[in-house]
Amino acid sequence: MAKVLSVEIGCSTIKLVEMDLHQKKPRIYKCVEAKTPEGAVRDGYINPEKAEALKEEIRAALKENKIRTRRVLFTVFSGKIISREVTLPVIKEHQIGAMIESNVSEYFPIELDDYKIAHSLIQTYRDGENAGRHKVLVMAVENALIAGYEKLAADLGLYIADIDYTGNSVIQATKKNAGAEAIMVVKAERENALITILQQGVMMMQRTVNYQTGYADDGELPEWEEINHVLTGTATRVIDFFASNNESKTIEQIYLIGEGSRTDDLMKLMQEQTGISCRMLEYVRGTVIGRQAESAKTNLFAAAIGAGISSVGIDVEKEKERHETNYVSACILMLVFFAVLAAALLSMALIPYNSALAEQSSLQRKQEQIEPARAVHDQYVGLTDFIAQIRYGRRLTEHSNDGIIDFLTELEEKMPSELEMVDFSSDDSQCVMTMRVEEKETAAGIIKTLRGFESLESVTVESIVEEETEDSGDVLKDRETTVSFTVTCVYYVDTPVAPVASSTAAEAATEAAAE
């Protein structure tokens, strides 16, 4: 799989994530933090005077952690990136870019020559009066901002795969957490913050919070205590606005990511002021955490991971240019190869004609000898294809809930005897279990064991509660307290792949060889 180095450069820290790029279930190989040189980045823009120090800091981090991936993907958070949600008429998805390009002057009152335009499809309406129409997030990014990252990549000897907008990165990292009830994701940074509301994987609202009051003049960033209060008040107003426009929808959970989630100060204040359960993002669903990234805090690296899952294509042309350059070099090499080949063929023409004729006669005799075996081979190939189709049809009849058998088997084999199952519910794709044990250490061990189950794709801890026990016949009555916790386990489903007929594959290979 193609790896990428996904990088988020904040004003105080640099996040580097080595991962698979744009895969259905990407693996996270390494998560590394480095310190941003003071003044090197402000509101997403790289300071040319500090670019050398920034380059050396990143280079040292890559060398120390033995990261050799050469393709880089930046995710950028800036208050100067202009974004707007638009609803497009009923058109095919591949026509969205052309329509945005033709109407971009209506979206942004700016000098378009100074900006690069990108877009991200939020959703396509399936029913109602907007059925078939597309809701799209359109972004305008200043060329000067992009140029800073292109130069940084070049100085590091890296190739740009793309530049992503952090608003999209956050959506990609958290959309699988949003079910029937809406969630709010708060990315808190030293300069500004991003508040996103999602439901069923679709972005409902996104707001940038700028609490940088006066630091641009004196060079001082606001303190976290001030940031937390400003951010909590803004989040409360966003929640009220969302509720007033969506009476049937409620926000059931707030997730915190970014620098502001390093401590639980913002989490406690947010939960107290909003009355909504608030916690740090513990896991990006749909990803696989490698051994060297297990200790990393997902809440700090979420945006970089989200960019690697799917980026908006702000600077994807750089990747295309590199491929085109490689294509030109390959064409030159191919011309040289064919010139040498032609010379070789001409020299082979000097072989006596009679020898070539004798060889042709010998090959014809061999063909006649093996011709009877062809009918047997064709029959064998036909039976093999028939059996493969039957097996594929059988796989299609399997129900995704069949995976619960494997899960229950692992549960019985690997769970400790002191575990008490309080509640268990399951559907086609996941189960929810409430369990009770004596100690938090035991609960942590159970959660770690569940995450190693081969039958599970992911395990999310929904709640952990320590409670007093009563001497009423409870199996744990000898202890003063017990620990109850609830986990959501998503079953691993192996999707069957339709078989390719052996005869079809053979014909394709023959045609390719003939060409």
Side-chain angles (χ1 to χ4, degrees), residues 438-455:
E438 296 178 356
E439 300 175 344
K440 286 186 176 180
E441 290 78 6
T442 304
I446 290 172
I447 293 169
K448 183 176 180 180
T449 301
L450 284 171
R451 284 177 173 160
F453 274 27
E454 294 180 359
S455 57

Side-chain angles (χ1 to χ4, degrees), residues 292-365:
Q292 293 180 292
E294 288 179 346
S295 61
K297 293 183 179 180
T298 300
N299 52 299
L300 300 178
F301 294 92
I305 293 173
I309 294 174
S310 179
S311 55
V312 297
I314 292 175
D315 205 26
V316 73
E317 289 83 1
K318 277 291 178 182
E319 179 88 337
K320 292 179 180 178
E321 288 175 6
R322 186 166 67 90
H323 285 304
E324 288 171 358
T325 302
N326 292 341
Y327 176 75
V328 171
S329 300
C331 287
I332 295 173
L333 290 175
M334 288 297 291
L335 289 173
V336 173
F337 170 75
F338 281 118
V340 174
L341 182 60
L345 290 174
L346 288 173
S347 65
M348 288 178 63
L350 300 176
I351 298 174
Y353 172 75
N354 290 335
S355 297
L357 188 61
E359 184 178 358
Q360 180 185 15
S361 179
S362 174
L363 291 174
Q364 286 175 344
R365 286 195 300 271

Side-chain angles (χ1 to χ4, degrees), residues 171-185:
I171 294 171
Q172 300 301 327
T174 58
K175 65 182 181 181
K176 290 187 177 180
N177 292 72
E181 297 296 332
I183 65 168
M184 172 182 279
V185 182

